[in-house]
Amino acid sequence: MSEQDLFKIETNNTVGRYSVASQDLKPGDVIFKEAPFAYGPKSDSACVCLGCHNPVDCATLCSKCSWPVCGPQCEVLSVHKDNECDVFSNAKVKFQAVEDPTDVCLQYECITPIRVLLEKERDQKRWEEEVSVMESHNEQRKPKPIWEFNQHNIVEYLRGPCKLDRFSEDLIHTVCGILEVNAFEARTPNCYMIRCLFPKLALMSHNCVSNIHHAVDCHGNGNLKDCVVTVRAAIHIPKGGELYSSYTYSIWPTLVRREFLRESKFFECACPRCSDKTELGTHMSSLKCQRCDNGVVVASDPLNDLCEWNCTHCDYKTHGGAMRKVFAAIQNEIDQVEYVGGHEGIQQRETIFRKYKSVLHPKHAYMTILRSALIQLYGKAEGYTLGDLPDVILERKMELCYQLLEVLDVIEPGLSRIRGITLYELHGPIMMHARHQYQYDAISKDDFRQKLKESVDILKQAVEILTNEPVSQPEGQLGQMAQTAYDQLIENFDMLVETAY
């Protein structure tokens, strides 16, 4: 731990090693920064350049190892040149041509494990102190299909054709497990996903309501030192308070979060949010009762996936298996429109929103997911830019933002990325709507001034969050835009009030 790190490691018999604040932390305080031990393609990756990790068509191959790269500038990046490039070229293992480079390519499964193994040889001290102590859950993984998959696609491939038999089968399986359980997703500057092994970040305990926020700045320059995670306090954390990260998507319902954690991280989450049938009052898993007017259907025992679900007002009941099918069906509908943008994307999401409005609690996870997407489409999609929106749509966008913020106050409190984006998306419609109301004589000049001040204050909060994001990432770039907009609004505030009518 460096002098700047504001946490310390403790141990107990129940959870093993965990991290606590070594002093009182304020929201935004940097707890630590860390370069990854290794990084590389995700599991189930399509074909990517082994230098910058951008998608490739596989037409250009490295002149030394004959694996896909963007070109000469990428084949010399150290992340490739000093790792698998040497291995493949020495063993004369060439990339096998594929029909569709956008499909999952199993040849890439070995890349990140190779990089971890070679970094172990280069930095034995960090391996022993930080990486070897990570959980691999080998015993839990052995009966699962992933073990046999790794045996064939990684272990046998590395020890056979790649001539890396100096690494034992057990070690390679352990590395695979460490990556599966502990790696964090990150984005390249072009927003393509990779996985990074950050040992300190992996020490943070899981909680479905985290109190820290991490942001990865990966410049795509092919060096470990050019990829850094910054971990900050999201809320006030007292000295000695445990530091919590979330290993899953916070906006999922409890059934889905716990299933993901069970299957991928090999533990049963029993955090306060998972243990509460109302999800800390958000009702992100609750359904409206179809038999009575005011009833809400909630799990009788949220830590039992097969428990009964009961109405709070009548005798209606169902079971966890049925609820899982309902959630899966709704998730499938949302997944179908994930990459649909513009007018069509708005209309399709609004259709799903209306379809389930009478079925799901207003703050349900899937309503929340739809709100998050719609907030960013209204104001940006063609024909729906902020200046084009009529008051009824401006009001719709504001309503969606406020409803989302109510949920985020509970499940992602403090300085979270999604909160910063939502605040940024909120300030514009408040300003535009107030201007229209003033021009229609629906509000007074003083009221308009107050609304404009509200918009500026909300933008200031967005700036405080988003300017902590790396400028290599979209949120950091949005933070720069927000800062410029805020500075201009402050400078021209009085003029905006005087000329708005």
Side-chain angles (χ1 to χ4, degrees), residues 4-76:
Q4 290 76 32
D5 293 343
L6 302 183
F7 76 99
K8 59 182 179 179
I9 301 167
E10 297 192 352
T11 307
N12 66 32
N13 294 330
T14 304
V15 299
R17 302 197 315 158
Y18 62 99
S19 301
V20 300
S22 56
Q23 65 182 56
D24 284 349
L25 299 174
K26 304 185 301 297
D29 281 350
V30 175
I31 303 172
F32 65 87
K33 294 186 177 186
E34 177 183 26
F37 185 79
Y39 70 91
K42 293 175 57 182
S43 187
D44 295 331
S45 175
C47 295
V48 297
C49 169
L50 291 179
C52 69
H53 302 91
N54 286 343
V56 290
D57 60 9
C58 299
T60 303
L61 302 179
C62 174
S63 62
K64 183 177 179 183
C65 70
S66 299
W67 277 63
V69 290
C70 293
Q73 74 281 7
C74 286
E75 71 174 62
V76 297

Side-chain angles (χ1 to χ4, degrees), residues 39 48 83 101 103 163 189 196 230 241 244 281 288 296 299 311 318 324 331 367 372 385 391 416 448 476 500:
Y39 70 91
V48 297
N83 288 302
D103 282 345
K163 301 179 181 178
C196 301
T230 300
Y244 293 114
K288 291 181 177 178
V296 177
C311 176
T318 184
R324 187 66 189 89
Q331 181 68 62
M367 304 300 272
S372 181
T385 58
D391 280 356
S416 69
F448 173 62

Side-chain angles (χ1 to χ4, degrees), residues 255 305-307 309 318-327:
L255 268 175
D305 289 359
L306 300 178
C307 73
W309 287 59
T318 184
H319 58 87
M323 296 298 294
R324 187 66 189 89
K325 290 180 181 178
V326 170
F327 288 177

Side-chain angles (χ1 to χ4, degrees), residues 197-208:
L197 195 58
F198 293 111
K200 289 180 184 177
L201 181 56
L203 276 173
M204 307 294 113
S205 302
H206 166 77
N207 194 300
C208 289

